[in-house]
Amino acid sequence: MKNPQLNKHGELQHLLGIDGLPKKIITHILDTASTFVDIGERELKKVPLMHGKSVFNLFFENSTRTRTTFEIAAKRLSADVINLNIAASSASKGESLLDTIDNLAAMHADMFVVRHATSGAPFMIAQHLNDTKQHHVHVVNAGDGRHEHPTQGLLDMYTIRHYKKDFANLTVAIVGDVLHSRVARSDIHALTTLGAAEVRVIGPRTLLPSGLEQMGVRVFTDMNAGLKDVDVIIMLRLQNERMSGALLPSTQEYFKQYGLTPERLALAKSDAIVMHPGPMNRGVEIDSAVADGPQAVILSQVTFGIAVRMAVMSIVSGSKA
Amino acid sequence: MKNPQLNKHGELQHLLGIDGLPKKIITHILDTASTFVDIGERELKKVPLMHGKSVFNLFFENSTRTRTTFEIAAKRLSADVINLNIAASSASKGESLLDTIDNLAAMHADMFVVRHATSGAPFMIAQHLNDTKQHHVHVVNAGDGRHEHPTQGLLDMYTIRHYKKDFANLTVAIVGDVLHSRVARSDIHALTTLGAAEVRVIGPRTLLPSGLEQMGVRVFTDMNAGLKDVDVIIMLRLQNERMSGALLPSTQEYFKQYGLTPERLALAKSDAIVMHPGPMNRGVEIDSAVADGPQAVILSQVTFGIAVRMAVMSIVSGSKA
Amino acid sequence: MKNPQLNKHGELQHLLGIDGLPKKIITHILDTASTFVDIGERELKKVPLMHGKSVFNLFFENSTRTRTTFEIAAKRLSADVINLNIAASSASKGESLLDTIDNLAAMHADMFVVRHATSGAPFMIAQHLNDTKQHHVHVVNAGDGRHEHPTQGLLDMYTIRHYKKDFANLTVAIVGDVLHSRVARSDIHALTTLGAAEVRVIGPRTLLPSGLEQMGVRVFTDMNAGLKDVDVIIMLRLQNERMSGALLPSTQEYFKQYGLTPERLALAKSDAIVMHPGPMNRGVEIDSAVADGPQAVILSQVTFGIAVRMAVMSIVSGSKA
């Protein structure tokens, strides 16, 4: 099935995932984002690019933080934002997902920012809108199941490019619960597309999916070996629900083996940067001395994240079917 | 008691119900709405008619979808919108409804969009605001108990007029759980006021209220007889909570007797339109083949609904006491 | 520890409490508020003072009413408002309060309106922002534990000044559950700073904190004695959770001893005004005849409250570190 995120001219009509996104489009998003980074620091933080447009935050899975970043990005583009916590609404009235979508589209929505616990839900929505010629609505995936979280992947790339300029010589390590992480999946696709020299994945065998090698990454279960001479470390959040499950002995044990401490960080290059998608579990996957240390760029990720989301929203809303 | 929705000049100061609304005012709302239909399709979907006004969505009963339609309508009129889920707030602190109303009015509110489980609540609020000379606040009923849902009634009339032009020769059938339906009540009042040739109500005897004949409608318990040669079919939603109650044997049985199938639809005029206020229960009151078929105008209702709500809000907010 | 609400030039950078606020600053806020009172009555209720600024309502404790007043105030200043019900979000993911704050600050927030069940939380947040040189974010305390509710204190002062002009000759009585009331604490600090002739506190001994005399107030347990010849009566809300606790025999008994009835009101000066922060418990701390009577200025407090919050927000957001 053709990926519905590109229109027939190869332009970005929806943002569903980084898998399959051409390097040219990723670079265009990052370049556009850089023009928005300054806006956040101005007195007047708004631009009229989406004035009069209606953006719907469709959160079938609750995530206040992610919803907030999209809400701010949309408002700084001067769009009207409607927040819908769908878990608590029509879904409970037994309406089908696609009936909900058709209804909202009929209100002349311009964009759906979709968060869903099911992998592929934003894809299905975009496909349906294309099939039914409701081309005025653009879909942005704000995280779907274990599949992708493309705006997080893009903001991670923005952050790496900001600090390291060129991807060609970089070794990047992604550490932790890769199995359940849509962030890891988006990051891996982005890094390989942008031509990072080496992408490593580090974690306990129970938290690593099969097939990683085919994605072009090197797999490490030994944290110390994996961190050796890397330029970028992307720590993943250990989901609370995994912590006392069958996959992990205990959070203390996890920290002992995979927590990023100053000692471990010293194994990486001296100018390595440390990233984390947040919210952090201090003392579980990352030591506070590292989280608050000079190599952490975690808050810069947040700042760049707003600009990247503004870029994505303005680009897709400007595309035609 | 005088209906508080009209001021002494006979203008619409609040919209509380269609019962008692003169034909001239209904027609004025529909005519105004038609000027807003185009706006939804423009690049810039906003008009400044309510710029600087504060619209409060007072939802004492949760309804994400209806709240969303009013929120969009208000924002496209450039109003500021404040969403209050009152069920979860002051009410739980033991404050009386009218104290809550007085408080919000004192914040220089311009409009209350009120949804309430109790029939007559918006009426009581409007009466209180008039009695206490808080004339700056206008009330719009967004559904009260089993009483009325006037903006749904008006958007249904807009839809019928759009497809059928003139009401004078129309036979309209309203099908389903009329007993619990505020939509049915608003539709019946609107259709009789606008001079529809014949209004029919179809449903099982347990779901039909007494006194329907006095409202000027013909009552059918046989679906096939009731649909014969009608121009417009308005299907009602079967509330989940009725489905396994004492009033109905089962949803399968209901569908067998009152579900709108292609075969049944064929009994109506060949150019009959099918309407539904949403959210639909596919396979309960309506067959998917009909819901997605060429005679269904259900999504047009949604689109027209935004325009009709913009019309209502701009008209009442422009009226004086 | 230095109070972080004033910058090195003595200007209001954050509003954390009235304790320690110079008279000059309180007066400046009230004077600024008076320019905003008219705005609420205009057709166009907005001024562009905070256009393009991002105001975050951070409500760690739910309060729809207070959140609404700040939301309206911010929107009338043309700010973008983001509502975060933190109780239900990141906090539940185990993130620390300061990590949440840093994250939101990194989104280029301009203002945090903070409501928190813990006394001192807004103070700690402001201190942290100052310490980490995140000077672009201003904090406004919207009520913290039993500590302060400074905007309520300021709107009370605005109301008193509006009706009584000068504080110098006024006797003000604060009645009820002073022990648990952040409003009482803010009012006492404000009244003593503004030079009220006499501040009285009236309540049952179990609901009066120790150390009141040191704050410069006269303590009464006898309602009739306490109300004698006062100019202003500020009734406090009796929190539901106290009503059947160990501190009070019953609400009937409370009303008998401390409820404000017309008879008791007659003990005060004939032109005394009656205030209440809302929501009222009619028949518990106040009789409806008083609440709705000519001496009550309770709804004026609400109206002035919007203007006072506009004043606070515009003043702090205009200050530099």
Side-chain angles (χ1 to χ4, degrees):
Chain A
M1 199 187 290
K2 193 184 146 295
N3 188 326
Q5 70 186 341
L6 302 179
N7 68 12
K8 58 177 180 275
H9 311 293
E11 295 161 346
L12 194 70
Q13 200 187 344
H14 309 285
L15 178 68
L16 306 176
I18 297 193
D19 188 14
L21 218 53
K23 181 175 178 179
K24 200 183 66 176
I25 284 184
I26 297 177
T27 303
H28 176 49
I29 294 170
L30 303 189
D31 291 348
T32 306
S34 73
T35 68
F36 290 128
V37 166
D38 299 337
I39 287 173
E41 286 161 19
R42 283 199 228 149
E43 275 296 293
L44 177 54
K45 281 193 269 286
K46 290 176 87 116
V47 289
L49 284 168
M50 290 184 71
H51 180 57
K53 304 264 189 189
S54 302
V55 173
F56 287 69
N57 277 329
L58 303 187
F59 276 58
F60 297 88
E61 182 183 70
N62 194 36
S63 173
T64 303
R65 177 185 303 225
T66 302
R67 193 259 298 157
T68 299
T69 61
F70 279 102
E71 185 174 349
I72 293 173
K75 286 181 170 169
R76 294 208 177 134
L77 291 165
S78 305
D80 287 327
V81 181
I82 317 279
N83 289 316
L84 293 182
N85 193 333
I86 308 273
S89 73
S90 341
S92 68
K93 290 196 177 175
E95 189 181 47
S96 79
L97 173 59
L98 294 182
D99 276 343
T100 300
I101 291 300
D102 284 341
N103 253 278
L104 295 172
M107 296 175 196
H108 292 303
D110 296 283
M111 187 175 296
F112 294 151
V113 176
V114 178
R115 171 80 148 222
H116 205 291
T118 305
S119 300
F123 185 102
M124 186 181 78
I125 293 170
Q127 192 79 63
H128 171 76
L129 290 167
N130 286 3
D131 287 351
T132 52
K133 310 221 179 306
Q134 302 185 78
H135 295 302
H136 59 288
V137 194
H138 303 271
V139 178
V140 175
N141 181 357
D144 62 324
R146 298 185 190 179
H147 176 230
E148 284 233 33
H149 192 349
T151 57
Q152 179 72 41
L154 289 165
L155 75 89
D156 285 348
M157 295 311 109
Y158 189 96
T159 306
I160 294 171
R161 193 174 82 161
H162 177 84
Y163 288 102
K164 298 293 174 188
K165 311 303 172 205
D166 193 15
F167 287 85
N169 299 310
L170 295 184
T171 300
V172 180
I174 302 171
V175 185
D177 179 4
V178 178
L179 180 62
H180 301 98
S181 175
R182 46 198 174 204
V183 175
R185 222 165 309 274
S186 290
D187 279 341
I188 291 168
H189 288 301
L191 288 165
T192 52
T193 304
L194 292 173
E198 186 175 323
V199 182
R200 300 180 184 177
V201 155
I202 309 174
R205 208 167 289 283
T206 50
L207 295 180
L208 296 178
S210 58
L212 278 171
E213 282 85 355
Q214 289 89 306
M215 292 177 81
V217 307
R218 280 184 69 188
V219 177
F220 292 80
T221 54
D222 176 352
M223 177 84 161
N224 292 351
L227 289 182
K228 190 87 178 70
D229 292 329
V230 301
D231 299 280
V232 176
I233 304 171
I234 300 176
M235 298 304 297
L236 299 176
R237 174 178 168 77
L238 191 66
Q239 308 286 335
N240 289 332
E241 53 271 34
R242 319 286 173 220
M243 287 192 188
S244 54
L247 300 176
L248 283 180
S250 73
T251 56
Q252 289 85 339
E253 188 63 22
Y254 183 84
F255 183 71
K256 208 188 284 177
Q257 287 194 49
Y258 297 100
L260 187 60
T261 57
E263 296 71 37
R264 287 228 173 87
L265 176 53
L267 299 170
K269 286 210 185 125
S270 61
D271 64 348
I273 57 172
V274 176
M275 296 164 63
H276 191 297
M280 288 187 283
N281 293 304
R282 290 165 178 265
V284 177
E285 71 258 2
I286 191 165
D287 191 292
S288 276
V290 174
D292 301 327
Q295 290 174 261
V297 298
I298 296 166
L299 294 175
S300 295
Q301 288 175 271
V302 176
T303 302
F304 295 149
I306 303 294
V308 165
R309 288 179 177 115
M310 289 173 74
V312 167
M313 294 171 115
S314 62
I315 288 169
V316 300
S317 79
S319 75
K320 301 281 174 220
Chain B
M1 199 187 290
K2 192 182 147 296
N3 189 326
Q5 71 185 342
L6 302 179
N7 68 12
K8 57 177 181 275
H9 310 295
E11 295 161 347
L12 194 69
Q13 199 187 344
H14 310 284
L15 178 68
L16 305 177
I18 298 192
D19 188 14
L21 218 54
K23 181 175 178 178
K24 199 183 66 176
I25 284 184
I26 296 177
T27 304
H28 176 48
I29 294 169
L30 303 188
D31 292 347
T32 305
S34 73
T35 68
F36 291 128
V37 166
D38 299 338
I39 287 175
E41 285 161 20
R42 283 199 229 150
E43 275 296 293
L44 177 53
K45 281 192 268 285
K46 290 175 87 115
V47 288
L49 284 169
M50 290 184 71
H51 179 57
K53 305 262 189 192
S54 302
V55 173
F56 287 68
N57 277 328
L58 304 187
F59 276 58
F60 296 87
E61 183 184 69
N62 194 37
S63 173
T64 303
R65 178 186 302 226
T66 302
R67 193 260 298 160
T68 299
T69 61
F70 279 102
E71 184 173 350
I72 293 173
K75 286 181 169 169
R76 294 207 177 135
L77 291 166
S78 305
D80 288 326
V81 181
I82 317 278
N83 289 316
L84 294 181
N85 193 333
I86 307 273
S89 72
S90 341
S92 68
K93 291 196 177 175
E95 189 181 48
S96 78
L97 172 59
L98 293 183
D99 276 343
T100 300
I101 291 300
D102 284 341
N103 253 278
L104 296 173
M107 295 175 197
H108 292 304
D110 295 284
M111 187 175 295
F112 294 151
V113 176
V114 179
R115 171 78 148 225
H116 206 291
T118 306
S119 301
F123 185 102
M124 187 181 76
I125 292 169
Q127 192 80 62
H128 171 74
L129 291 168
N130 285 3
D131 287 350
T132 51
K133 310 221 177 307
Q134 301 186 79
H135 295 302
H136 59 288
V137 194
H138 303 272
V139 178
V140 175
N141 182 356
D144 62 325
R146 298 186 190 179
H147 176 229
E148 284 233 31
H149 192 348
T151 57
Q152 180 72 42
L154 289 165
L155 76 89
D156 285 349
M157 296 311 110
Y158 189 96
T159 306
I160 294 172
R161 193 175 83 162
H162 177 85
Y163 288 102
K164 297 294 173 189
K165 310 303 172 205
D166 193 15
F167 288 86
N169 299 311
L170 294 184
T171 301
V172 180
I174 301 171
V175 184
D177 179 5
V178 178
L179 180 62
H180 301 98
S181 175
R182 46 198 174 204
V183 175
R185 222 165 311 274
S186 289
D187 278 342
I188 292 169
H189 288 301
L191 288 164
T192 52
T193 303
L194 292 172
E198 186 174 320
V199 182
R200 299 178 184 177
V201 155
I202 309 174
R205 208 167 290 283
T206 49
L207 294 180
L208 296 178
S210 58
L212 278 170
E213 283 85 355
Q214 289 90 307
M215 292 178 80
V217 308
R218 278 184 70 189
V219 176
F220 293 80
T221 53
D222 176 352
M223 178 84 161
N224 291 349
L227 289 182
K228 190 89 179 69
D229 292 330
V230 301
D231 300 280
V232 176
I233 305 171
I234 300 175
M235 298 304 298
L236 299 176
R237 174 178 168 77
L238 191 66
Q239 308 287 334
N240 289 332
E241 54 271 35
R242 320 285 173 222
M243 287 191 188
S244 54
L247 300 176
L248 283 179
S250 73
T251 58
Q252 291 84 339
E253 187 63 22
Y254 183 84
F255 183 71
K256 208 188 285 178
Q257 287 194 50
Y258 296 100
L260 187 62
T261 57
E263 297 70 37
R264 288 228 172 84
L265 177 53
L267 299 170
K269 287 210 185 125
S270 62
D271 63 348
I273 57 172
V274 175
M275 297 163 63
H276 192 295
M280 288 187 282
N281 294 304
R282 290 165 178 266
V284 178
E285 72 257 3
I286 191 165
D287 192 291
S288 275
V290 175
D292 302 327
Q295 291 174 262
V297 297
I298 296 165
L299 293 175
S300 295
Q301 288 175 271
V302 176
T303 302
F304 296 148
I306 303 293
V308 165
R309 288 179 177 115
M310 289 173 75
V312 167
M313 293 172 115
S314 61
I315 288 169
V316 300
S317 79
S319 74
K320 300 283 175 218
Chain C
M1 199 188 289
K2 195 183 145 294
N3 189 325
Q5 71 186 340
L6 302 179
N7 68 12
K8 58 177 180 274
H9 311 294
E11 295 161 348
L12 194 70
Q13 200 188 343
H14 310 285
L15 178 69
L16 305 178
I18 298 193
D19 188 13
L21 218 54
K23 181 174 178 178
K24 201 183 66 177
I25 285 185
I26 297 178
T27 303
H28 176 49
I29 294 170
L30 303 189
D31 291 347
T32 305
S34 73
T35 68
F36 290 128
V37 167
D38 299 338
I39 288 174
E41 286 161 18
R42 284 197 228 151
E43 274 298 292
L44 177 53
K45 281 192 268 287
K46 290 176 87 115
V47 288
L49 284 169
M50 291 183 70
H51 179 57
K53 305 263 188 191
S54 302
V55 173
F56 287 68
N57 278 328
L58 304 187
F59 276 58
F60 296 88
E61 183 183 70
N62 193 37
S63 173
T64 304
R65 179 188 300 228
T66 301
R67 194 259 299 159
T68 300
T69 60
F70 279 101
E71 185 174 349
I72 294 173
K75 286 181 170 169
R76 294 207 178 135
L77 290 166
S78 305
D80 287 327
V81 181
I82 317 279
N83 290 316
L84 293 182
N85 193 333
I86 308 273
S89 73
S90 340
S92 68
K93 290 196 177 175
E95 189 181 46
S96 78
L97 172 59
L98 294 182
D99 275 344
T100 300
I101 290 300
D102 283 341
N103 254 278
L104 296 173
M107 296 174 196
H108 291 303
D110 295 284
M111 187 175 296
F112 294 151
V113 176
V114 179
R115 172 78 148 224
H116 205 291
T118 305
S119 301
F123 185 103
M124 186 180 77
I125 292 169
Q127 191 81 61
H128 171 75
L129 291 168
N130 285 3
D131 287 350
T132 52
K133 310 221 178 306
Q134 301 187 77
H135 295 302
H136 58 289
V137 194
H138 302 272
V139 177
V140 175
N141 181 357
D144 61 325
R146 298 185 189 180
H147 176 230
E148 285 232 33
H149 193 349
T151 56
Q152 180 71 41
L154 289 165
L155 76 88
D156 285 349
M157 295 312 108
Y158 189 97
T159 306
I160 294 171
R161 193 174 82 161
H162 177 85
Y163 288 104
K164 297 294 173 187
K165 309 304 171 204
D166 193 16
F167 287 85
N169 299 310
L170 294 185
T171 300
V172 180
I174 301 171
V175 184
D177 180 4
V178 177
L179 180 63
H180 302 98
S181 175
R182 46 197 174 206
V183 175
R185 222 164 310 273
S186 289
D187 279 342
I188 291 169
H189 287 303
L191 288 164
T192 52
T193 303
L194 292 173
E198 187 176 320
V199 182
R200 299 179 184 176
V201 154
I202 309 175
R205 208 166 290 282
T206 50
L207 294 180
L208 296 178
S210 59
L212 278 171
E213 282 86 354
Q214 288 90 306
M215 292 178 80
V217 308
R218 280 183 70 188
V219 177
F220 293 80
T221 54
D222 176 352
M223 177 84 161
N224 291 351
L227 289 182
K228 190 88 180 69
D229 292 330
V230 301
D231 299 281
V232 175
I233 304 171
I234 299 175
M235 298 304 297
L236 299 176
R237 174 177 168 77
L238 191 67
Q239 308 287 334
N240 289 332
E241 53 271 34
R242 319 287 173 218
M243 287 191 187
S244 54
L247 299 176
L248 283 179
S250 73
T251 57
Q252 291 84 340
E253 187 63 21
Y254 183 84
F255 183 71
K256 207 188 284 178
Q257 286 195 49
Y258 297 100
L260 188 61
T261 57
E263 295 71 36
R264 287 229 172 86
L265 177 54
L267 299 170
K269 286 209 186 126
S270 61
D271 63 349
I273 57 172
V274 176
M275 297 164 63
H276 192 297
M280 288 187 282
N281 294 304
R282 290 165 177 265
V284 178
E285 71 257 2
I286 191 165
D287 192 291
S288 276
V290 174
D292 302 328
Q295 291 173 261
V297 298
I298 296 165
L299 293 176
S300 295
Q301 288 175 271
V302 176
T303 302
F304 296 148
I306 303 294
V308 164
R309 287 179 178 116
M310 290 173 75
V312 167
M313 294 172 114
S314 62
I315 287 170
V316 299
S317 80
S319 75
K320 300 283 175 217

